[in-house]
Amino acid sequence: VRAVKVELGERSYEVLVGPGARRLLSSLVPPSATKAAVVTQEAVGVEVGTGVAQETFFIKEGEAAKSMATVEQLCRNFARFGLSRADVVIGVGGGVVTDVAGFAAAVYHRGVALVHVATTLLAQVDAAIGGKTGVNLPEGKNLVGAFWQPVGVICDTEVLAALPRREYRSGLGEMAKYAFLGVANLPELALEEAVAACVECKARLVAGDEREVAGLSGAKAGGRALLNYGHTLGHALETAGNYDLRHGEAVAIGLVFAAHLAHRLGRVGKERVAEHERVVAAYGLPSRVPQGAKSEDLLALMARDKKSTGTGLTFVLDGPAGLEVVRDVPEATVLATLEGLR
Ligand code: GLY
């Protein structure tokens, strides 16, 4: 098991990565804690021992569980359990659990310690690290939340063996992104090494831009906004719906699309596009826009993407200086790139 540090001054923490890492959970429980509220879902099925008095609280499956109602229910259950400010919340699960448990920990008693035990590949390389927590509103996804860093994270690669194939593959899509954020030879690495390398990469980007302000003020290499590589089209495909795409699968298409777009804009050569195609294919992920998805609809959804703060279309794109936020990408070029990816 290796420890990857997320350097955030007094909010620094370690991510423990490797087979069996979940058995180290009690070492991450703060000394002040006498109780631990374990938040998970029935389907997760990963048991943890905290070394203190613990009770498990289940939330529902799926995006619908990411609601203010779930957070209220959790906080009420914490109160009945007698969870105090000195105690700890443990999120055991994938992105839905880490987002909801994280937000409940951020607001209960104005903030209690939080540890994540990430049980999906996607959560291990992304959702459990970085401190963004939140829930959805009927008006939109992730509209309410808080930055609340955990005091420790566990990425036990052993538990990934039990994931449904599709869920695992979705995680690979999020993982593929890191091949273009500086993780060399990613598809060739053993699973634990690959997870650790992705965690190191995310830790570096989060440490340099904890609250994602770099992306708001302009193109600045190293900002957290770069973690959205492949996500602009990815989100549009997910929102457009009905294509039976998991998050990571949509991101994989988004990565290949971003490479072709960068090529059309003269930012990268053909070999760089081929590298994107190669990584995505190595993971057995899709790389083409689904037939039914109309380019005009995808364009409209991308223009609305919450990450775009400028007036025009904004993408994270590869280029001579690596990835950066590129604003005001011409619509016609985006449309032509989409059409070319059928
Ligand atoms: N919870 C994911 C992040 O902070 O990026």
Side-chain angles (χ1 to χ4, degrees), residues 227-289:
L227 290 161
N228 292 320
Y229 191 41
H231 283 59
T232 308
L233 178 61
H235 283 149
L237 287 166
E238 284 180 278
T239 309
N242 292 331
Y243 305 121
D244 188 27
L245 288 172
R246 304 293 292 265
H247 177 70
E249 294 167 343
V251 168
I253 298 170
L255 291 171
V256 171
F257 163 78
H260 283 272
L261 181 57
H263 181 58
R264 271 183 198 264
L265 293 168
R267 298 176 54 87
V268 297
K270 275 204 169 82
E271 64 298 334
R272 192 65 177 154
V273 179
E275 177 65 6
H276 281 70
E277 301 263 13
R278 186 186 74 82
V279 170
V280 165
Y283 287 130
L285 289 158
S287 62
R288 292 296 177 265
V289 177

Coordinates of all heavy atoms in Angstrom, one line a residue, residues 227-289:
L227 N -8.9 19.1 -15.2 CA -9.5 17.8 -14.9 C -10.8 17.6 -15.7 O -11.3 16.5 -15.7 CB -9.7 17.7 -13.4 CG -8.5 17.6 -12.5 CD1 -8.8 18.0 -11.1 CD2 -7.9 16.2 -12.6
N228 N -11.3 18.6 -16.3 CA -12.5 18.5 -17.1 C -12.2 18.1 -18.5 O -13.1 18.1 -19.4 CB -13.3 19.8 -17.1 CG -13.8 20.1 -15.7 OD1 -14.3 19.2 -15.1 ND2 -13.8 21.3 -15.3
Y229 N -10.9 17.7 -18.8 CA -10.6 17.3 -20.2 C -11.5 16.2 -20.6 O -11.7 15.2 -19.9 CB -9.1 16.8 -20.2 CG -8.6 16.6 -21.6 CD1 -8.9 17.5 -22.6 CD2 -7.8 15.5 -21.9 CE1 -8.4 17.4 -23.9 CE2 -7.3 15.3 -23.2 CZ -7.6 16.3 -24.2 OH -7.1 16.1 -25.5
G230 N -12.1 16.4 -21.8 CA -13.0 15.4 -22.3 C -14.4 15.5 -21.8 O -15.3 14.8 -22.2
H231 N -14.6 16.3 -20.8 CA -15.9 16.4 -20.1 C -17.0 17.3 -20.8 O -18.1 17.2 -20.5 CB -15.8 16.8 -18.7 CG -15.3 15.7 -17.8 ND1 -14.1 15.1 -18.0 CD2 -15.8 15.1 -16.7 CE1 -13.9 14.1 -17.1 NE2 -14.9 14.1 -16.3
T232 N -16.5 18.2 -21.7 CA -17.5 19.1 -22.2 C -18.5 18.4 -23.2 O -19.7 18.4 -23.0 CB -16.8 20.3 -23.0 OG1 -15.9 20.9 -22.1 CG2 -17.8 21.3 -23.4
L233 N -17.9 17.6 -24.1 CA -18.8 16.8 -24.9 C -19.3 15.6 -24.1 O -20.5 15.2 -24.2 CB -18.0 16.2 -26.1 CG -18.9 15.3 -27.0 CD1 -20.1 16.0 -27.6 CD2 -18.0 14.6 -28.1
G234 N -18.5 15.1 -23.2 CA -19.0 14.0 -22.3 C -20.3 14.4 -21.6 O -21.2 13.6 -21.6
H235 N -20.3 15.5 -20.9 CA -21.5 16.0 -20.2 C -22.7 16.1 -21.2 O -23.8 15.8 -20.9 CB -21.2 17.3 -19.5 CG -20.4 17.1 -18.2 ND1 -19.6 18.1 -17.7 CD2 -20.4 16.1 -17.4 CE1 -19.0 17.7 -16.6 NE2 -19.5 16.4 -16.4
A236 N -22.4 16.7 -22.3 CA -23.4 16.9 -23.3 C -24.1 15.6 -23.7 O -25.3 15.5 -23.8 CB -22.9 17.7 -24.5
L237 N -23.2 14.6 -23.9 CA -23.8 13.3 -24.3 C -24.6 12.6 -23.2 O -25.6 12.0 -23.4 CB -22.6 12.3 -24.7 CG -21.9 12.6 -26.0 CD1 -20.6 11.8 -26.1 CD2 -22.8 12.2 -27.2
E238 N -24.1 12.9 -22.0 CA -24.9 12.3 -20.8 C -26.2 13.0 -20.7 O -27.2 12.4 -20.4 CB -24.1 12.5 -19.5 CG -23.0 11.5 -19.4 CD -22.2 11.8 -18.1 OE1 -21.4 12.6 -18.0 OE2 -22.5 11.1 -17.1
T239 N -26.2 14.4 -20.9 CA -27.4 15.1 -20.7 C -28.4 14.9 -21.8 O -29.6 14.8 -21.6 CB -27.1 16.7 -20.7 OG1 -26.0 16.9 -19.7 CG2 -28.3 17.5 -20.3
A240 N -27.9 14.8 -23.0 CA -28.7 14.5 -24.2 C -29.5 13.2 -24.0 O -30.6 13.0 -24.4 CB -27.9 14.4 -25.5
G241 N -28.8 12.3 -23.3 CA -29.5 11.0 -22.8 C -29.8 10.0 -23.9 O -29.5 10.2 -25.1
N242 N -30.3 8.9 -23.5 CA -30.8 7.8 -24.4 C -29.7 7.2 -25.2 O -30.0 6.5 -26.2 CB -31.9 8.4 -25.3 CG -33.1 8.7 -24.6 OD1 -33.4 8.1 -23.5 ND2 -33.9 9.7 -25.0
Y243 N -28.4 7.4 -24.9 CA -27.4 6.7 -25.7 C -26.8 5.6 -24.9 O -25.8 5.0 -25.3 CB -26.3 7.7 -26.1 CG -27.0 8.8 -26.9 CD1 -26.8 10.1 -26.4 CD2 -27.7 8.6 -28.0 CE1 -27.4 11.2 -27.1 CE2 -28.4 9.6 -28.7 CZ -28.2 10.9 -28.2 OH -28.8 11.9 -28.9
D244 N -27.3 5.3 -23.7 CA -26.8 4.2 -22.9 C -25.3 4.4 -22.7 O -24.6 3.4 -22.9 CB -27.2 2.9 -23.5 CG -26.8 1.7 -22.6 OD1 -26.8 1.9 -21.4 OD2 -26.5 0.6 -23.1
L245 N -24.9 5.6 -22.3 CA -23.5 5.8 -22.0 C -23.3 6.1 -20.5 O -24.0 6.9 -20.0 CB -23.0 7.0 -22.8 CG -22.8 6.9 -24.3 CD1 -22.5 8.2 -24.9 CD2 -21.7 5.9 -24.7
R246 N -22.3 5.4 -19.9 CA -21.9 5.7 -18.6 C -21.0 6.9 -18.6 O -20.4 7.2 -19.7 CB -21.2 4.5 -18.0 CG -22.0 3.2 -18.0 CD -23.2 3.2 -17.1 NE -22.8 3.3 -15.7 CZ -22.7 2.3 -14.9 NH1 -23.0 1.1 -15.3 NH2 -22.3 2.4 -13.6
H247 N -20.8 7.5 -17.4 CA -20.0 8.7 -17.4 C -18.7 8.6 -18.1 O -18.3 9.4 -19.0 CB -19.8 9.2 -16.0 CG -19.0 10.4 -15.8 ND1 -19.4 11.6 -16.2 CD2 -17.7 10.5 -15.4 CE1 -18.4 12.5 -16.0 NE2 -17.4 11.9 -15.5
G248 N -17.9 7.5 -17.7 CA -16.6 7.4 -18.3 C -16.6 7.0 -19.7 O -15.6 7.4 -20.5
E249 N -17.6 6.4 -20.2 CA -17.7 6.1 -21.6 C -18.0 7.4 -22.4 O -17.4 7.6 -23.5 CB -18.9 5.1 -21.9 CG -18.6 3.7 -21.3 CD -19.9 2.8 -21.2 OE1 -21.0 3.4 -21.3 OE2 -19.7 1.6 -21.1
A250 N -18.8 8.3 -21.9 CA -19.0 9.6 -22.5 C -17.8 10.4 -22.5 O -17.5 11.1 -23.5 CB -20.2 10.3 -21.8
V251 N -17.0 10.3 -21.4 CA -15.7 11.1 -21.3 C -14.8 10.5 -22.4 O -14.0 11.3 -23.0 CB -15.1 11.0 -19.9 CG1 -13.7 11.5 -19.9 CG2 -16.0 11.8 -18.9
A252 N -14.7 9.2 -22.6 CA -13.8 8.6 -23.6 C -14.1 9.2 -24.9 O -13.2 9.6 -25.7 CB -14.0 7.1 -23.6
I253 N -15.4 9.3 -25.3 CA -15.7 9.9 -26.6 C -15.3 11.4 -26.6 O -14.7 11.9 -27.6 CB -17.2 9.8 -26.9 CG1 -17.7 8.3 -26.9 CG2 -17.6 10.5 -28.2 CD1 -19.2 8.1 -27.0
G254 N -15.5 12.0 -25.4 CA -15.1 13.4 -25.3 C -13.6 13.7 -25.5 O -13.2 14.7 -26.0
L255 N -12.8 12.7 -25.0 CA -11.4 12.8 -25.1 C -10.9 12.8 -26.6 O -10.1 13.6 -27.1 CB -10.7 11.7 -24.4 CG -10.8 11.7 -22.8 CD1 -10.2 10.4 -22.2 CD2 -10.0 12.9 -22.3
V256 N -11.5 11.8 -27.3 CA -11.1 11.6 -28.7 C -11.6 12.8 -29.5 O -10.9 13.4 -30.4 CB -11.7 10.3 -29.3 CG1 -11.5 10.2 -30.8 CG2 -11.0 9.1 -28.6
F257 N -12.8 13.3 -29.2 CA -13.4 14.5 -29.8 C -12.4 15.7 -29.6 O -12.1 16.4 -30.5 CB -14.8 14.8 -29.3 CG -15.3 16.1 -29.6 CD1 -15.8 16.5 -30.8 CD2 -15.2 17.1 -28.6 CE1 -16.2 17.8 -31.1 CE2 -15.7 18.4 -28.8 CZ -16.1 18.7 -30.1
A258 N -12.0 15.9 -28.4 CA -11.1 17.0 -28.0 C -9.8 17.0 -28.8 O -9.3 18.0 -29.3 CB -10.9 17.0 -26.5
A259 N -9.3 15.8 -29.1 CA -8.1 15.6 -29.8 C -8.3 16.0 -31.3 O -7.5 16.8 -31.9 CB -7.6 14.2 -29.7
H260 N -9.4 15.5 -31.8 CA -9.7 15.9 -33.2 C -10.0 17.4 -33.4 O -9.6 18.0 -34.4 CB -10.9 15.1 -33.7 CG -10.6 13.7 -34.1 ND1 -10.2 13.3 -35.3 CD2 -10.6 12.5 -33.3 CE1 -9.9 12.0 -35.4 NE2 -10.2 11.5 -34.1
L261 N -10.6 18.0 -32.4 CA -10.9 19.4 -32.4 C -9.6 20.2 -32.3 O -9.4 21.1 -33.1 CB -11.8 19.8 -31.2 CG -12.3 21.2 -31.1 CD1 -13.0 21.7 -32.4 CD2 -13.2 21.4 -29.9
A262 N -8.7 19.8 -31.5 CA -7.4 20.4 -31.4 C -6.6 20.3 -32.7 O -6.0 21.3 -33.1 CB -6.6 19.8 -30.2
H263 N -6.8 19.2 -33.3 CA -6.1 19.0 -34.6 C -6.7 20.0 -35.7 O -5.9 20.6 -36.4 CB -6.3 17.5 -35.1 CG -5.6 17.3 -36.4 ND1 -4.2 17.5 -36.6 CD2 -6.1 16.8 -37.5 CE1 -3.9 17.1 -37.8 NE2 -5.0 16.7 -38.4
R264 N -8.0 20.1 -35.7 CA -8.6 21.0 -36.7 C -8.2 22.4 -36.4 O -8.2 23.2 -37.4 CB -10.1 20.9 -36.6 CG -10.7 19.8 -37.5 CD -12.2 19.8 -37.4 NE -12.7 18.6 -38.0 CZ -13.1 18.4 -39.2 NH1 -13.2 19.4 -40.1 NH2 -13.6 17.2 -39.6
L265 N -8.0 22.7 -35.2 CA -7.6 24.1 -34.8 C -6.1 24.3 -35.0 O -5.5 25.4 -34.7 CB -8.0 24.4 -33.4 CG -9.5 24.5 -33.1 CD1 -9.8 24.5 -31.6 CD2 -10.1 25.7 -33.8
G266 N -5.4 23.3 -35.5 CA -3.9 23.4 -35.7 C -3.1 23.4 -34.5 O -1.9 23.8 -34.4
R267 N -3.7 22.9 -33.4 CA -3.0 22.9 -32.1 C -2.1 21.6 -31.9 O -1.1 21.7 -31.2 CB -4.0 23.0 -30.9 CG -4.8 24.2 -31.0 CD -5.8 24.2 -29.8 NE -5.2 23.9 -28.6 CZ -4.7 24.9 -27.8 NH1 -4.8 26.1 -28.1 NH2 -4.2 24.6 -26.6
V268 N -2.5 20.5 -32.5 CA -1.7 19.3 -32.4 C -1.6 18.5 -33.7 O -2.5 18.8 -34.6 CB -2.4 18.3 -31.3 CG1 -2.4 18.8 -29.9 CG2 -3.8 17.8 -31.8
G269 N -0.7 17.7 -33.8 CA -0.5 16.9 -35.1 C -1.3 15.6 -35.1 O -1.9 15.3 -34.0
K270 N -1.3 14.9 -36.2 CA -2.1 13.7 -36.4 C -1.7 12.6 -35.3 O -2.5 11.8 -34.9 CB -1.8 13.1 -37.8 CG -2.7 13.7 -38.9 CD -2.8 12.6 -40.0 CE -3.9 13.0 -41.0 NZ -3.4 14.0 -42.0
E271 N -0.3 12.6 -35.0 CA 0.1 11.5 -34.1 C -0.4 11.7 -32.7 O -0.7 10.7 -32.0 CB 1.7 11.5 -34.1 CG 2.5 12.7 -33.6 CD 2.2 13.9 -34.4 OE1 1.9 13.9 -35.6 OE2 2.4 15.0 -33.8
R272 N -0.7 12.9 -32.3 CA -1.3 13.1 -31.0 C -2.8 12.7 -31.0 O -3.3 12.1 -30.0 CB -1.2 14.6 -30.7 CG -1.5 15.0 -29.2 CD -0.5 14.4 -28.2 NE -0.9 14.8 -26.9 CZ -0.6 14.2 -25.8 NH1 0.1 13.0 -25.8 NH2 -0.9 14.6 -24.6
V273 N -3.4 12.9 -32.1 CA -4.8 12.4 -32.2 C -4.8 10.8 -32.2 O -5.6 10.2 -31.4 CB -5.5 12.8 -33.6 CG1 -6.9 12.3 -33.7 CG2 -5.5 14.3 -33.7
A274 N -3.8 10.2 -32.9 CA -3.7 8.8 -32.9 C -3.5 8.3 -31.4 O -3.9 7.2 -31.1 CB -2.6 8.3 -33.8
E275 N -2.7 9.0 -30.7 CA -2.4 8.6 -29.3 C -3.7 8.6 -28.4 O -3.9 7.7 -27.7 CB -1.4 9.6 -28.7 CG -1.0 9.4 -27.2 CD -0.2 8.1 -27.0 OE1 0.1 7.4 -28.0 OE2 0.0 7.8 -25.8
H276 N -4.6 9.6 -28.7 CA -5.8 9.6 -28.0 C -6.7 8.3 -28.4 O -7.2 7.7 -27.5 CB -6.6 10.8 -28.3 CG -6.2 12.0 -27.5 ND1 -5.0 12.7 -27.8 CD2 -6.8 12.8 -26.5 CE1 -4.9 13.7 -27.0 NE2 -5.9 13.8 -26.2
E277 N -6.7 8.1 -29.7 CA -7.5 6.9 -30.1 C -6.9 5.6 -29.5 O -7.7 4.7 -29.2 CB -7.4 6.8 -31.7 CG -8.0 8.1 -32.4 CD -9.4 7.9 -32.9 OE1 -10.1 6.9 -32.4 OE2 -9.9 8.7 -33.6
R278 N -5.6 5.6 -29.5 CA -4.9 4.4 -29.0 C -5.3 4.1 -27.5 O -5.6 3.0 -27.1 CB -3.4 4.5 -29.1 CG -2.6 3.2 -28.8 CD -1.1 3.4 -28.8 NE -0.6 4.2 -27.7 CZ -0.4 3.6 -26.5 NH1 -0.5 2.4 -26.3 NH2 0.1 4.4 -25.5
V279 N -5.2 5.1 -26.7 CA -5.4 5.0 -25.2 C -6.9 4.5 -25.0 O -7.1 3.6 -24.3 CB -5.1 6.3 -24.5 CG1 -5.6 6.2 -23.0 CG2 -3.6 6.5 -24.5
V280 N -7.8 5.2 -25.7 CA -9.2 4.9 -25.5 C -9.5 3.5 -26.0 O -10.2 2.7 -25.3 CB -10.1 6.0 -26.2 CG1 -11.5 5.5 -26.4 CG2 -10.0 7.3 -25.4
A281 N -8.9 3.1 -27.1 CA -9.1 1.7 -27.6 C -8.5 0.7 -26.7 O -9.1 -0.4 -26.5 CB -8.5 1.6 -29.0
A282 N -7.4 1.0 -26.1 CA -6.7 0.1 -25.2 C -7.6 -0.3 -24.0 O -7.5 -1.3 -23.4 CB -5.4 0.7 -24.7
Y283 N -8.4 0.7 -23.6 CA -9.4 0.4 -22.5 C -10.7 -0.1 -23.0 O -11.6 -0.3 -22.2 CB -9.6 1.7 -21.7 CG -8.4 2.1 -20.9 CD1 -7.9 3.4 -20.9 CD2 -7.8 1.2 -20.0 CE1 -6.8 3.8 -20.1 CE2 -6.7 1.5 -19.2 CZ -6.2 2.8 -19.3 OH -5.2 3.2 -18.5
G284 N -10.8 -0.4 -24.3 CA -12.1 -0.9 -24.8 C -13.2 0.0 -24.7 O -14.4 -0.4 -24.6
L285 N -12.9 1.3 -24.8 CA -14.0 2.3 -24.6 C -14.4 2.9 -26.0 O -13.6 2.9 -26.9 CB -13.4 3.5 -23.8 CG -13.2 3.1 -22.3 CD1 -12.2 4.1 -21.6 CD2 -14.6 3.2 -21.6
P286 N -15.6 3.4 -26.1 CA -16.1 4.0 -27.3 C -15.4 5.3 -27.6 O -15.0 6.0 -26.7 CB -17.6 4.2 -27.1 CG -17.7 4.4 -25.6 CD -16.6 3.5 -25.0
S287 N -15.3 5.6 -28.9 CA -14.6 6.8 -29.3 C -15.4 7.6 -30.4 O -14.9 8.6 -30.9 CB -13.2 6.5 -29.9 OG -13.4 5.7 -31.0
R288 N -16.6 7.2 -30.7 CA -17.4 7.8 -31.7 C -18.7 8.4 -31.2 O -19.3 7.8 -30.3 CB -17.7 6.9 -32.9 CG -16.4 6.5 -33.7 CD -15.8 7.7 -34.4 NE -14.6 7.5 -35.1 CZ -13.3 7.7 -34.6 NH1 -13.2 8.0 -33.3 NH2 -12.2 7.5 -35.3
V289 N -19.2 9.5 -31.8 CA -20.4 10.1 -31.4 C -21.6 9.2 -31.8 O -21.6 8.7 -32.9 CB -20.6 11.5 -32.0 CG1 -21.9 12.1 -31.7 CG2 -19.5 12.4 -31.6

